[in-house]
Amino acid sequence: MKTNATNEEFVLVFRTNIHRKKDVKSLTPLLNGCSEIIKWNIDLADCDNVLRIEATHPNHEPVIHLVKKAGYNCEELTD
Amino acid sequence: MRTRDINKETIIREKAIEMIVDHGFEGLSMHKLAKAAGVSVATIYIYFKDREDLIQQLYAEEMQKMVEATLRDFDPESHFDEGLKVQWLNRMNYCFENPYSMFFTEQVKHSPLVDRSNIDTRFLNAMHRFVHRAIERNEIIPLPVEIYWSIAFAPLYQLVKFHIAKSSMPGRPPFNLDESKINLALSLVIKALKP
């Protein structure tokens, strides 16, 4: 379901060190509170602890900034 | 930001099914899959949220393909003997053309990953109608659905497996499921279900 007004969404993928459920829990209010993030999830089963975000914009920087501010590593997972 | 590429997506799906069939659920990781499909890990995450999402999407698509194949030229109102023959041939041909798909759906079917409510209702309705019409017309005896299925279809899938494995019992020559063998098995199955 697309909820943003422009009807466009972008998938952004990051490598992180978020590897415990506890960390996901602590990040939840932060990510849920961000209006530009439509959906997000962290793949704890993956060795890169991939943070996947469906956002209303294609920019990685604001997300990296947000997650780093919360005390975790976060970088764009590139090709 | 990457755009969706239908070819890449197809390769990812095919490789994922192969990996699950060959190595089980635990044998599948996004990293191994990326390597096998020749794409980046990031690309896989464009299409799939995580491993569980990947498996569920694969299952939904493979079931859809199987349902289309199974319902081809099948009339739920037809006489039981004819309808079952169409079902057998459709299912057999689908399995021969998509052996990985067959093993994959079988593996996933009974796992907690699959929600029964996701199964295509067209298929369930058609099979339900077919069997109940046949019972009404006294072409077969009423049975609990598990017993019905085990008699009507389990023999077919066992023979298909013998055929695909190209072997059956130890010491036996390769088994080839041809038309005469299909007809022989089908006639025995129909006999077993008759009133």
Side-chain angles (χ1 to χ4, degrees):
Chain A
M1 265 277 270
K2 289 172 181 177
T3 50
N4 53 327
T6 58
N7 229 16
E8 220 186 333
E9 66 188 49
F10 302 90
V11 177
L12 311 176
V13 184
F14 306 88
R15 174 188 288 129
T16 77
N17 64 343
I18 305 162
H19 65 279
R20 291 174 303 183
K21 280 190 175 162
K22 206 176 96 185
D23 302 321
V24 178
K25 224 173 174 177
S26 76
L27 273 166
T28 298
L30 194 70
L31 295 172
N32 283 355
C34 186
S35 63
E36 291 158 341
I37 296 175
I38 304 162
K39 265 195 228 161
W40 64 274
N41 73 286
I42 296 164
D43 191 352
L44 294 176
D46 186 79
C47 63
D48 281 331
N49 304 124
V50 170
L51 166 64
R52 180 187 191 274
I53 284 182
E54 291 172 31
T56 56
H57 62 74
N59 306 319
H60 289 77
E61 287 70 29
V63 178
I64 294 173
H65 185 70
L66 194 71
V67 176
K68 279 192 169 167
K69 221 170 65 181
Y72 298 99
N73 292 340
C74 183
E75 57 179 294
E76 183 184 348
L77 187 64
T78 50
D79 280 337
Chain B
M1 178 55 201
R2 299 156 194 86
T3 46
R4 288 183 91 96
D5 176 333
I6 197 80
N7 293 325
K8 273 187 188 173
E9 200 177 343
T10 306
I11 295 169
I12 293 169
R13 285 175 184 271
E14 281 172 9
K15 289 288 170 195
I17 289 173
E18 280 178 31
M19 290 178 90
I20 292 170
V21 170
D22 292 342
H23 308 291
F25 292 132
E26 294 312 311
L28 176 81
S29 78
M30 297 305 216
H31 282 76
K32 282 188 205 159
L33 177 57
K35 214 170 164 193
V39 301
S40 72
V41 174
T43 300
I44 294 180
Y45 278 97
I46 299 294
Y47 305 111
F48 309 101
K49 273 168 60 186
D50 51 29
R51 213 171 60 126
E52 200 170 307
D53 179 49
L54 167 65
I55 294 170
Q56 280 168 351
Q57 285 198 41
L58 290 175
Y59 183 72
E61 193 180 81
E62 294 311 307
M63 281 305 283
Q64 197 55 43
K65 275 161 50 182
M66 202 167 75
V67 164
E68 303 292 344
T70 305
L71 294 181
R72 192 169 305 143
D73 300 324
F74 173 68
D75 176 9
E77 302 295 329
S78 62
H79 188 281
F80 184 78
D81 299 14
E82 287 162 34
L84 195 65
K85 180 162 190 174
V86 174
Q87 280 296 317
W88 270 45
L89 294 178
N90 282 351
R91 290 173 191 224
M92 180 189 81
N93 289 330
Y94 181 77
C95 291
F96 286 177
E97 282 158 25
N98 307 276
Y100 270 103
S101 178
M102 174 188 79
F103 289 118
F104 168 75
T105 48
E106 197 160 280
Q107 207 165 338
V108 181
K109 198 177 282 172
H110 300 293
S111 90
L113 288 168
V114 171
D115 179 358
R116 208 180 143 74
S117 63
N118 289 334
I119 294 171
D120 195 312
T121 51
R122 269 184 319 146
F123 174 69
L124 290 180
N125 293 343
M127 298 315 291
H128 186 267
R129 175 104 191 125
F130 172 59
V131 170
H132 286 267
R133 289 291 289 142
I135 294 169
E136 275 168 36
R137 291 189 302 242
N138 208 27
E139 292 160 7
I140 59 170
I141 52 170
L143 286 169
V145 66
E146 293 82 5
I147 298 177
Y148 164 76
W149 191 91
S150 298
I151 293 171
F153 292 112
L156 168 71
Y157 287 115
Q158 185 55 56
L159 293 171
V160 164
K161 279 183 208 163
F162 282 153
H163 178 96
I164 290 174
K166 293 189 173 59
S167 68
S168 57
M169 313 303 170
R172 292 277 304 155
F175 178 77
N176 185 38
L177 187 55
D178 56 25
E179 207 181 335
S180 72
K181 286 179 191 142
I182 269 276
N183 287 336
L184 172 62
L186 181 64
S187 68
L188 292 172
V189 163
I190 288 172
K191 209 197 289 188
L193 292 167
K194 288 277 171 225

